[in-house]
């Protein structure tokens, strides 16, 4: 049992919760290089402890879940225009929001509309899809990137991706929410917007493919300031009382993946943000480092199975930890006091392919110092996922 429990603490009792999500991927070609996509989605359910108490929350799908009742909504509606440049032609297979055909290896792609910034940035083939890979928030994306998104993880904006030979550079500008983790996006775009730029290099070591990506971002939004909140109210400060339009938050990320053998790949992510203003769109992580291993089941004659294991360490800026230690609350963590330690997590999963695109996955996560509190934890979270892809 924890020695104390705050308003956003991980509840110190056994809990069982479930989440349900379903997405329909629709798309068609409009003209040469032009495509339009729409993704109606339905979700419902809840996260353990009402989706609070851990910065590296254990269920990445819960970002799409707003209520226990299943509700329908439009996740994505966007146009994509691809301009083929010099270079060899390559085949494109049917996939999520991708129509079969051909395109040039060197190309310029423009995406406009509503989608997730994770559709384009911070991709990693081993850690990015909580439906089929690691479930933890800080493994599906760089935890220190407060990426523009509404409560369900989507936003509207413009992204440009330029690919040439072994290099890519992509950038974009997106709407920010009106309030932290809010469902409504702020239309005052002169003072509320988020920009990101990412450089990518594709390389090989001993004929094994690898990719390295460096990301930088800057957000402008009606955010509060931790140090100002402490100055106004040293005990139980409230960062929301210091919100001011146009405040700035910035950070950096590194993301890589490397094949070791035909069936074994490794990955890692590093992230940092300035940590002065309140976490606004993703999760309360200012520093993060993780690494992991992904193994295809071909090694034991199960080519469609997959095993993964990863470890991650999350941390806070000094301003953020001082704010929580004084009794302040974020939108996902807040124990009322804080004996600061890094939040350390190990996750492992095994995805068992049952038939074609039907799979069941067992997942276990061990969390030390949930919400950065040395007085809490450790805790173990078990999960079972059922996934059907038609």
């Amino acid at each position: 049992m924890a020695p104390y429990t705050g308003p956003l603490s991980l509840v110190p009792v056994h809990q069982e919760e479930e989440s349900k999500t379903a997405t329909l991927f629709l798309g068609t070609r409009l003209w040469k290089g032009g495509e339009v996509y729409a993704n109606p989605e339905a979700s419902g359910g809840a996260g353990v402890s009402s989706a609070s108490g851990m910065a590296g929350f254990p269920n990445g799908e819960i970002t799409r879940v707003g209520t226990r009742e299943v509700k329908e909504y439009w996740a994505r509606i966007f146009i994509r225009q691809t301009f083929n440049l010099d270079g060899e032609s390559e085949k494109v297979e049917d996939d999520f929001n991708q129509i079969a055909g051909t395109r040039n290896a060197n190309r310029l792609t423009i995406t406009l509309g509503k989608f997730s910034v994770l559709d384009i940035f911070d991709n990693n083939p081993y850690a990015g899809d909580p439906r089929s890979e690691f479930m933890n928030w800080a493994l599906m994306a760089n935890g220190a990137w407060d990426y523009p998104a509404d409560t369900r993880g989507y936003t509207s904006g413009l992204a440009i991706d330029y690919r040439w030979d072994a290099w890519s550079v992509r950038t974009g500008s997106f709407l920010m929410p009106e309030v932290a983790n809010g469902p409504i996006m702020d239309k005052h775009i002169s003072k509320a917007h988020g920009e990101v730029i990412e450089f990518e290099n594709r390389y090989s070591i001993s004929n094994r493919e690898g990719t390295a990506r460096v990301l930088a971002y800057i957000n402008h939004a009606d955010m509060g300031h931790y140090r100002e909140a402490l100055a106004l109210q040293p005990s139980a400060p409230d960062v929301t009382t210091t919100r001011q339009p146009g405040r700035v938050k910035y950070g950096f990320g590194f993301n890589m993946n490397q094949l070791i053998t035909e069936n074994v790949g490794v990955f890692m992510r590093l992230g940092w943000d300035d940590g002065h203003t309140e976490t606004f769109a993703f999760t309360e992580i200012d520093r993060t480092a993780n690494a992991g291993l992904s193994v295809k089941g071909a090694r034991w004659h199960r080519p469609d199975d997959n095993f993964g294991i990863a470890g991650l360490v999350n941390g806070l800026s000094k301003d953020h930890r001082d704010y929580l230690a004084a009794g302040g609350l974020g939108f996902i963590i807040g124990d009322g006091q804080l004996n600061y330690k890094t939040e350390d997590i190990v996750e492992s999963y095994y995805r068992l392919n049952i038939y074609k695109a039907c799979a069941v996955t067992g997942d276990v996560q061990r969390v030390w110092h949930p919400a950065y509190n040395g007085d809490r934890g450790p805790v173990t979270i078990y999960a079972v996922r059922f996934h059907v892809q038609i």
Side-chain angles (χ1 to χ4, degrees), residues 259-332:
L259 270 175
I260 302 300
T261 71
E262 183 180 355
N263 297 304
V264 180
V266 295
F267 70 91
M268 69 173 293
R269 278 190 179 100
L270 303 172
W272 177 95
D273 70 47
D274 64 284
H276 301 312
T277 54
E278 65 176 313
T279 301
F280 215 67
F282 186 31
T283 191
E284 301 199 44
I285 298 173
D286 300 318
R287 320 280 187 258
T288 190
N290 62 65
L293 177 77
S294 178
V295 184
K296 291 182 179 179
R299 295 176 63 88
W300 49 92
H301 312 293
R302 296 279 307 176
D304 295 321
D305 290 5
N306 204 81
F307 166 77
I309 186 168
L312 55 148
V313 179
N314 299 322
L316 295 178
S317 67
K318 187 177 188 308
D319 290 359
H320 200 163
R321 71 180 75 162
D322 288 348
Y323 170 78
L324 293 173
L329 302 177
F331 68 74
I332 191 173

Side-chain angles (χ1 to χ4, degrees), residues 34-328:
E35 302 159 340
V36 62
Y37 295 94
N39 297 163
E41 192 167 74
S43 66
V48 294
S49 196
S50 301
S52 64
M54 286 176 281
F57 196 75
N59 183 359
E61 276 292 276
I62 211 68
T63 57
R64 296 180 174 88
V65 177
T67 62
R68 286 186 177 273
E69 300 76 25
V70 174
K71 291 191 174 182
E72 302 82 25
Y73 51 91
W74 289 98
R76 300 175 182 87
I77 305 176
F78 65 90
I79 293 175
R80 178 190 296 142
Q81 177 67 51
T82 301
F83 299 95
N84 286 319
L85 306 175
D86 293 339
E88 296 181 358
S89 178
E90 61 183 29
K91 187 177 181 180
V92 178
E93 303 290 347
D94 265 328
D95 205 343
F96 302 130
N97 291 331
Q98 180 174 285
I99 300 172
T102 60
R103 64 190 178 193
N104 283 12
N106 297 332
R107 58 189 180 269
L108 176 69
T109 305
I110 299 174
T111 305
L112 175 66
K114 182 182 181 183
F115 49 94
S116 169
V117 295
L118 300 182
D119 295 339
I120 298 173
F121 300 90
D122 194 41
N123 292 161
N124 193 296
Y126 307 127
D129 183 1
R131 289 178 170 178
S132 60
E133 299 160 351
F134 295 98
M135 295 181 65
N136 195 279
W137 282 16
L139 289 172
M140 77 175 195
N142 193 314
W145 178 22
D146 202 12
Y147 70 85
D150 61 14
T151 308
R152 289 193 167 105
Y154 303 104
T155 185
S156 296
L158 170 70
I160 300 173
D161 188 335
Y162 175 71
R163 178 186 175 108
W164 190 269
D165 295 337
W167 292 88
S168 291
V169 58
R170 53 188 68 96
T171 188
S173 182
F174 307 95
L175 297 182
M176 293 290 290
E178 287 186 342
V179 297
N181 197 36
I184 300 174
M185 307 309 284
D186 196 334
K187 303 305 190 297
H188 299 92
I189 57 176
S190 63
K191 296 182 178 180
H193 49 91
E195 281 70 52
V196 59
I197 186 168
E198 184 177 52
F199 298 91
E200 176 180 290
N201 177 235
R202 296 169 292 278
Y203 60 88
S204 64
I205 299 175
S206 300
N207 294 320
R208 301 297 183 186
E209 294 180 352
T211 306
R213 308 165 190 84
V214 177
L215 176 148
Y217 80 90
I218 184 168
N219 292 340
H220 301 77
D222 188 12
M223 295 180 284
H225 193 279
Y226 294 124
R227 193 57 60 185
E228 287 184 13
L230 281 164
L232 285 174
Q233 192 172 338
S235 178
D238 182 357
V239 72
T240 66
T241 62
T242 65
R243 285 178 176 166
Q244 181 178 310
R247 284 199 191 273
V248 172
K249 183 173 188 175
Y250 64 92
F252 305 93
F254 175 75
N255 173 358
M256 66 81 64
N257 54 271
Q258 176 66 55
L259 270 175
I260 302 300
T261 71
E262 183 180 355
N263 297 304
V264 180
V266 295
F267 70 91
M268 69 173 293
R269 278 190 179 100
L270 303 172
W272 177 95
D273 70 47
D274 64 284
H276 301 312
T277 54
E278 65 176 313
T279 301
F280 215 67
F282 186 31
T283 191
E284 301 199 44
I285 298 173
D286 300 318
R287 320 280 187 258
T288 190
N290 62 65
L293 177 77
S294 178
V295 184
K296 291 182 179 179
R299 295 176 63 88
W300 49 92
H301 312 293
R302 296 279 307 176
D304 295 321
D305 290 5
N306 204 81
F307 166 77
I309 186 168
L312 55 148
V313 179
N314 299 322
L316 295 178
S317 67
K318 187 177 188 308
D319 290 359
H320 200 163
R321 71 180 75 162
D322 288 348
Y323 170 78
L324 293 173

